[in-house]
Amino acid sequence: MLVILFCLYRCFFSEKDDARYYIMDSIFDDKIEAKITGMVYSYNDKETYLKDVYINIDSDISYQLADLLIYKVPHFKLGSCLEIYGTIYKTETSSNPGQFNQREYLREKNIYYTAVAKSVTVSASQNSDNSYKSIYNIYLEKIQNLKEKLTEVYSKALPEKECGIVTAMLLGNKTLLDMDIKKLYQESGIGHLLAISGLHISIIGMAVYKLVTALLVFICNIIKRIYRFVYRVDDITLGYLKMTNCMCIAIRSISTFISITFIIMYGYMTGFSTSVTRAVIMTTIMLFAPIIRRSYDMLSAMGISAVIILLKKPFAIYSCSFLLSFGAVAGIGIVYPVLKKMYSKKNKNPRKNNLFADTLLSSLAIQLTTLPFILYFYYEFPLYGIFINIIVIPLASILVIICAAGGVVGLVFMPCAKFILGSAYIILNIYEIVCRTFAKLPYNIIITGKPDIWQIVVYFILLAASLIVVYWYENNTENDIENNYMYSIKAIFLINISLAFFIITIVNTYTKKYNGVKVTFLDVGQGDAIFIQDNSQTTYLIDSGSSSIDGVGDYRIIPYLKCNGIKNIDYMIMTHSDEDHISGLKEILQQSRTGIKTANLLLPNPDISCKEEAYYEIAELASENGVNTAYIEAGDTLLGKNEFSIRCLHPETGFNAESANAYSTALSIVYGNTSFLLTGDIEGNGENALLEKLQNDNTLPVKYNILKVAHHGSKNSTSDEFLERVSPDISIISCGKNNTYGHPHKELLERLQNANSDWIATKDAGAITVLSDGKEIKTECYK
């Protein structure tokens, strides 16, 4: 109930509440120089985290932050007080649909600003006179050192790939994790193994509890033997019974205390992420409950952990880790018992333990409660994930124990650690073989797009209704007639679940479709990427690249496509071979067999002297990945339905361009009474040839509603004469924020103003989507 009240509070007072955390937003636009003081409480190879932070922008203004993420800081001991001069940055929001949102990710960690250090000095410790804080900092430093030593053990005992998996799985350190393995695990539905979860905490916590208990029992047995020998007691006396009882209480209390202390230390070592915090709190409650003679209830413990986490990190409730972690626990605590009862009714011997059935039912229960969140954050789900988890989960417990034991032993004797971790190497290779085998099956990944909130709400209402029906039946039906209704109850349950699945997947795909033509100019930094979906749902991707953003295809283009439920690209058009137009195309083509599939690649065909190495490289890449390749030249037309067409205006075959920019493919798009002109990076003799075509061809629109300004708003393109002929209502400029070229140039903006054309730049607006119904256009800016 407290969590629900918190959600309602955020719904109505989020804007006012956010102002308490983003206290410097009104002071500067993007960045500002400042003096920073704070204490180091965590660090890794790239980042340092400060707490108790004070920021002085000038001598008169000072701000206090709970936490700050700072880059380019050398490693200092935990607890060190630093004085830093550097640049404060606002956290970045996503600029395209589907893109990773740094602002939302960091605010879960209570971080609302980042900084880059220019100079760092260690100040006199503010806590030197506080013995408690000094001891606490020493304790944290020892834990950090232990983590580094364990990482070293794994790096020496295992190959690089397996070392990255183990350090991510046990230590929460993902800096060594191979990106190909990370992607493989996520697409196979076992990405949860790479995050510290309740599975790891419970295994490690209970292992410590049982080891300590066994050791204490052994010691107590020796003490009892000595007692009976010294006092020559042959029969059990009252004093002996009291001593035994006291020993039992002591064993339970000491084992619990040591286990709880250990898992808290482990939580500190792994960084106390949301999932780790939940698991530590729930395991602590589970261990502590018998001490105070209480029974452990999973859902109560889950509620307590949620409240504690939200008190410390209020924005965690929106995070993927919070929702997936608690969703999985809810699946085990609420859905699994219902599925188990339904299975037990069919099983002739319900008391007999069936590991396969239990694993299948628990995996299914988790999938049912986490599916909406997986689709909301990742826009796809692995079809065979349930079956892969049936193989993986039983081995996970063994893997965690082996890796933990190998790491501890490696601190003392490395050859023995290598022997122990050899078993972990075998299990991890089994995981990889299983995942790659299933990845080859058809429909391995189902792309659905991002569901709307109403779809998620309806899904959970249907799921809850199904559970209530079964629960009511189990508690209100007499045994002698219950079999007559069991098949009806199962039918109702399956129908509701199927309907919920249909709404969250199939219906979601269709809600993403637009009846007219949708043209999106994506924000890819200093580059170009245009996605078109026509009125018959045929898809076109024109260019995709960036010179300012690495991995633009993987991190901006593909997430956008998946977010909108796009599974196939019918036509990929390359305007020219500059890297800021093709880097993303390469990444998409490389995944064409396993990810979003591309049917056709269309290339311009200028004079052979204009074709650079990159031109042939992308053509070869398309061929290697089963993509049809063809030329597009002036006069070619792609015809759609209901007066939709894409007509190539430039270049002609064999066009001798002054530069790669000059042979850029220019496209005239017409839908009903609306029109678009896309010009790539055209300039010089290429722009002159295009202008001549526009002036002499009477079949082209008299004026264009939308012009994609050439060459990112360079002053060397888009002349006054060109603008006079095109007469655009809106000009769209694709360029990067704070780019080194100064795009868009002042001279170009003045020409647009003289032509009475409004202009929008992706660096300011984010992704720009233009919707056309054939009569008029509507422009939407993502930011």
Side-chain angles (χ1 to χ4, degrees), residues 24-35:
M24 296 189 293
D25 275 13
S26 60
I27 304 300
F28 62 95
D29 292 329
D30 298 313
K31 59 183 180 179
I32 194 169
E33 303 295 311
K35 179 183 177 183

Side-chain angles (χ1 to χ4, degrees), residues 387-446:
F387 306 105
I388 296 174
N389 275 283
I390 291 173
I391 301 171
V392 164
I393 289 177
L395 293 173
S397 301
I398 300 171
L399 180 63
V400 171
I401 293 171
I402 290 172
C403 292
V408 173
V409 171
L411 297 173
V412 181
F413 189 56
M414 181 58 70
C416 186
K418 290 182 178 180
F419 176 77
I420 294 172
L421 291 170
S423 302
Y425 174 82
I426 294 171
I427 293 174
L428 291 174
N429 275 272
I430 292 173
Y431 283 4
E432 185 172 351
I433 291 169
V434 169
C435 291
R436 294 198 185 281
T437 301
F438 277 94
K440 294 176 182 178
L441 297 178
Y443 306 108
N444 175 45
I445 298 294
I446 305 297

Side-chain angles (χ1 to χ4, degrees), residues 50-191:
L50 304 182
K51 66 178 181 179
D52 301 328
V53 179
Y54 289 89
I55 297 175
N56 294 314
I57 294 178
D58 57 42
S59 57
D60 299 325
I61 305 175
S62 179
Y63 298 93
Q64 184 176 3
L65 300 175
D67 302 276
L68 182 68
L69 167 61
I70 191 162
Y71 301 95
K72 297 185 179 179
V73 174
H75 286 179
F76 291 93
K77 287 184 177 181
L78 298 181
S80 300
C81 293
L82 304 181
E83 290 185 356
I84 300 169
Y85 178 75
T87 307
I88 302 286
Y89 291 87
K90 289 182 179 178
T91 51
E92 293 183 12
T93 59
S94 59
S95 58
N96 300 286
Q99 182 185 328
F100 171 74
N101 193 321
Q102 184 200 41
R103 189 180 184 92
E104 291 183 359
Y105 172 75
L106 290 178
R107 72 180 186 178
E108 178 207 346
K109 303 174 181 291
N110 277 354
I111 294 171
Y112 306 103
Y113 297 93
T114 61
V116 175
K118 293 183 176 179
S119 64
V120 184
T121 57
V122 180
S123 66
S125 177
Q126 300 168 358
N127 303 314
S128 57
D129 58 341
N130 190 323
S131 58
Y132 167 75
K133 287 190 175 181
S134 297
I135 294 171
Y136 176 72
N137 291 331
I138 292 171
Y139 161 76
L140 292 182
E141 186 65 32
K142 294 292 183 184
I143 292 176
Q144 181 69 24
N145 292 338
L146 176 61
K147 181 178 180 178
E148 291 173 357
K149 289 179 180 178
L150 287 171
T151 302
E152 186 178 352
V153 169
Y154 293 129
S155 63
K156 289 181 178 179
L158 290 167
E160 184 178 353
K161 182 169 63 177
E162 284 72 20
C163 170
I165 298 172
V166 172
T167 53
M169 182 177 65
L170 273 187
L171 303 178
N173 179 13
K174 296 185 179 181
T175 57
L176 303 177
L177 184 61
D178 183 85
M179 288 297 103
D180 180 55
I181 287 293
K182 180 181 179 181
K183 184 178 179 182
L184 178 66
Y185 276 36
Q186 288 176 341
E187 291 181 347
S188 302
I190 61 170

Side-chain angles (χ1 to χ4, degrees), residues 158-412:
L158 290 167
E160 184 178 353
K161 182 169 63 177
E162 284 72 20
C163 170
I165 298 172
V166 172
T167 53
M169 182 177 65
L170 273 187
L171 303 178
N173 179 13
K174 296 185 179 181
T175 57
L176 303 177
L177 184 61
D178 183 85
M179 288 297 103
D180 180 55
I181 287 293
K182 180 181 179 181
K183 184 178 179 182
L184 178 66
Y185 276 36
Q186 288 176 341
E187 291 181 347
S188 302
I190 61 170
H192 56 86
L193 292 179
L194 300 175
I196 311 294
S197 65
L199 176 68
H200 304 73
I201 300 293
S202 59
I203 290 172
I204 292 172
M206 293 310 297
V208 172
Y209 181 84
K210 290 181 178 180
L211 285 173
V212 173
T213 300
L215 178 62
L216 292 176
V217 167
F218 176 74
I219 294 171
C220 288
N221 284 333
I222 294 175
I223 293 173
K224 286 195 290 183
R225 287 177 181 271
I226 294 172
Y227 174 86
R228 296 182 71 173
F229 176 77
V230 170
Y231 292 99
R232 301 182 183 279
V233 177
D234 294 325
D235 298 325
I236 297 176
T237 63
L238 181 61
Y240 182 81
L241 286 174
K242 287 183 177 179
M243 181 186 71
T244 302
N245 186 50
C246 290
M247 283 182 174
C248 289
I249 295 173
I251 288 171
R252 182 181 293 172
S253 301
I254 294 171
S255 298
T256 299
F257 175 77
I258 292 175
S259 300
I260 291 173
T261 302
F262 186 88
I263 62 174
I264 291 173
M265 289 175 58
Y266 183 69
Y268 274 112
M269 182 186 294
T270 58
F272 261 125
S273 65
T274 297
S275 59
V276 171
T277 305
R278 177 200 59 75
V280 168
I281 294 171
M282 292 184 68
T283 306
T284 299
I285 293 171
M286 180 180 68
L287 292 170
F288 190 68
I291 300 297
I292 58 173
R293 299 181 181 275
R294 301 284 291 185
S295 61
Y296 172 73
D297 179 68
M298 180 186 291
L299 298 180
S300 298
M302 181 182 75
I304 292 169
S305 61
V307 171
I308 292 172
I309 289 171
L310 293 176
L311 286 173
K312 177 67 177 175
K313 300 177 179 179
F315 290 105
I317 198 166
Y318 303 114
S319 71
C320 175
S321 58
F322 181 93
L323 294 171
L324 289 179
S325 181
F326 282 91
V329 176
I332 294 296
I334 299 173
V335 180
Y336 172 73
V338 174
L339 298 178
K340 182 71 172 176
K341 283 184 179 181
M342 293 176 66
Y343 170 78
S344 298
K345 292 290 182 182
K346 185 178 180 180
N347 188 9
K348 295 180 179 179
N349 188 4
R351 293 187 178 181
K352 185 178 179 180
N353 185 33
N354 189 328
L355 179 61
F356 175 81
D358 286 346
T359 306
L360 176 62
L361 293 176
S362 60
S363 180
L364 178 59
I366 292 172
Q367 291 286 339
L368 286 173
T369 51
T370 58
L371 178 63
F373 304 131
I374 291 172
L375 297 183
Y376 188 81
F377 289 103
Y378 298 106
Y379 328 123
E380 61 185 6
F381 73 95
L383 184 60
Y384 309 115
I386 293 176
F387 306 105
I388 296 174
N389 275 283
I390 291 173
I391 301 171
V392 164
I393 289 177
L395 293 173
S397 301
I398 300 171
L399 180 63
V400 171
I401 293 171
I402 290 172
C403 292
V408 173
V409 171
L411 297 173
V412 181

Side-chain angles (χ1 to χ4, degrees), residues 720-738:
D720 286 320
E721 190 178 4
F722 182 85
L723 286 171
E724 183 180 355
R725 166 61 186 88
V726 175
S727 301
D729 295 324
I730 300 174
S731 298
I732 293 176
I733 303 170
S734 180
C735 61
K737 198 171 189 178
N738 301 320

